[in-house]
Amino acid sequence: MSTPPYRTGRRSRAPGLRFLSAALAVLVAAIAVAACGSSNKSSSSSAASTGAAPAASSQPGKGKSLTLGTKDFTEEYILGQLYKQALEAKGYTVTYKESIGATEIIDKALTSKKIDAYPEYTGESAVTVAGSKETVTTPQQEYDIAKAFYDKRGQAMSEMTPFFDTDAIATTKAYAQKNGLASTEDLKKVSHWTLGARPEFKGREQGALGLKKEYGLNNFSFKSLAFGLQYQALDAGSIQGGDVFTTDPQLASGKYTVLKDPKNIFGFQNIALVINKDKLQELGGQQFMDIINGVNKLLTNQAVIAMNKAVAINKQAPKAVAQSFLKANGLV
């Protein structure tokens, strides 16, 4: 899989962000064009829609069922709907459990068999789930660490997506300019600041702990916020730095500065579906994974940012946005 360079890719978002200003109809069309044109692993859009191996039947999932879960934020809702609808189009019966919770919570749901599968970020898999302390320099290294851990524990992973979405610290543009902030390490210049993030961020190596250990940042207070409220808190001045996702559509406004992460504490965060191995075999093994991988190959940064905007800003339903994307790419 060809994967964009992370540290440079995250900072060269301007074309993708300008793209967000288009109307939803234009967005959906652009998503389809960008997605089909960027799939490096598929030889044609037909191959992407059917998977790498030819299916014996157009309904390989007939009579087979699974429970699919998601985490508790917009991007996961979209991913969940993409997988759900693509699988249902191939005959699978999907029980869908949306908004289960953060990594620590949804992983327990997976291992306890309350769900069979869910979309996870590779960095979260490697660090939060597997507890890896290994320093990685490429997305593939992160993926391989996670895959090896899951393999021993009884789970399998799909191929990872081209798109990446990693945590970052953002400030208002005015605050960054006033204090000369371009990188996370520049926050040492500030006498004191407040970091706003979802509760679990406080105890994570890819979070507040990493900021302290790797950057030596001991000059901040932590403010627990429900996910999605960090931008309001930044605007109101109740926090000075917020944990954001680099595919957040709010970043298109130009009001915020995303600080560089030169020590790469937030890792590489591509998406892969994680599924219990016993259930995977029941579902057809590689035939099932071909459907998931067919979706994943189309998920570019531009496509995901556009779908996030359609839901978070334009208030479209994740189900409808996912359906438009899948139809445009011949997957439903």
Side-chain angles (χ1 to χ4, degrees):
M1 174 178 296
S2 175
T3 309
Y6 275 69
R7 307 271 55 91
T8 56
R10 189 176 74 183
R11 304 309 302 164
S12 58
R13 286 292 184 93
L17 296 179
R18 287 196 297 270
F19 169 80
L20 294 177
S21 62
L24 179 59
V26 177
L27 285 170
V28 172
I31 288 169
V33 172
C36 290
S38 66
S39 178
N40 296 320
K41 284 196 170 182
S42 57
S43 59
S44 68
S45 60
S46 175
S49 66
T50 59
S57 164
S58 62
Q59 294 287 301
K62 187 175 182 180
K64 301 171 184 175
S65 63
L66 74 152
T67 300
L68 176 68
T70 76
K71 295 185 181 183
D72 53 352
F73 51 88
T74 297
E75 192 163 276
E76 282 269 318
Y77 304 155
I78 295 168
L79 290 165
Q81 283 290 342
L82 288 169
Y83 293 147
K84 175 181 181 290
Q85 293 180 43
L87 289 168
E88 288 175 339
K90 294 297 183 181
Y92 288 93
T93 298
V94 181
T95 299
Y96 186 53
K97 295 187 177 181
E98 189 176 83
S99 198
I100 290 174
T103 298
E104 295 88 344
I105 297 171
I106 199 167
D107 182 62
K108 289 180 180 177
L110 180 73
T111 56
S112 64
K113 305 295 180 73
K114 292 180 181 177
I115 61 173
D116 300 309
Y118 79 99
E120 182 59 281
Y121 298 86
T122 54
E124 284 296 293
S125 291
V127 178
T128 304
V129 180
S132 174
K133 305 293 184 184
E134 184 176 340
T135 300
V136 298
T137 57
T138 69
Q140 189 65 48
Q141 281 181 290
E142 193 99 84
Y143 177 86
D144 289 345
I145 291 169
K147 191 173 188 298
F149 172 83
Y150 285 130
D151 186 57
K152 290 179 181 178
R153 203 182 66 168
Q155 285 89 38
M157 293 177 77
S158 70
E159 295 175 2
M160 61 180 172
T161 59
F163 102 89
F164 57 93
D165 178 9
T166 187
D167 289 82
I169 303 302
T171 70
T172 62
K173 183 171 287 187
Y175 187 80
Q177 291 174 343
K178 177 182 176 181
N179 293 283
L181 307 179
S183 167
T184 302
E185 58 193 350
D186 291 336
L187 287 164
K188 287 182 178 179
K189 302 175 184 178
V190 182
S191 59
H192 184 269
W193 58 286
T194 300
L195 169 64
R198 56 202 188 277
E200 62 271 14
F201 193 80
K202 185 176 183 179
R204 287 182 176 176
E205 294 289 339
Q206 288 187 326
L209 287 183
L211 293 176
K212 292 178 180 180
K213 291 180 181 179
E214 299 300 326
Y215 286 110
L217 294 175
N218 296 300
N219 59 342
F220 66 90
S221 301
F222 185 85
K223 185 172 184 176
S224 180
L225 294 173
F227 186 80
L229 298 182
Q230 66 272 46
Y231 292 100
Q232 296 176 34
L234 285 169
D235 293 344
S238 60
I239 64 172
Q240 289 72 53
D243 169 44
V244 303
F245 290 161
T246 53
T247 54
D248 283 347
Q250 291 90 337
L251 297 176
S253 67
K255 293 166 56 179
Y256 309 101
T257 295
V258 178
L259 303 180
K260 296 177 183 178
D261 176 24
K263 294 184 183 293
N264 193 32
I265 68 167
F266 296 118
F268 302 110
Q269 303 283 7
N270 301 71
I271 277 285
L273 185 78
V274 182
I275 182 168
N276 287 315
K277 285 183 179 180
D278 52 357
K279 176 56 70 168
L280 177 60
Q281 293 311 305
E282 290 178 21
L283 297 173
Q286 192 57 47
Q287 274 193 327
F288 174 89
M289 279 301 198
D290 286 342
I291 297 167
I292 300 300
N293 292 336
V295 174
N296 283 354
K297 291 173 183 178
L298 302 178
L299 298 181
T300 63
N301 274 34
Q302 189 181 48
V304 174
I305 291 171
M307 287 190 280
N308 282 344
K309 179 181 183 289
V311 174
I313 305 299
N314 295 338
K315 305 303 180 184
Q316 303 295 312
K319 179 178 180 180
V321 172
Q323 185 178 53
S324 294
F325 178 84
L326 293 171
K327 280 186 175 180
N329 287 285
L331 297 183
V332 295

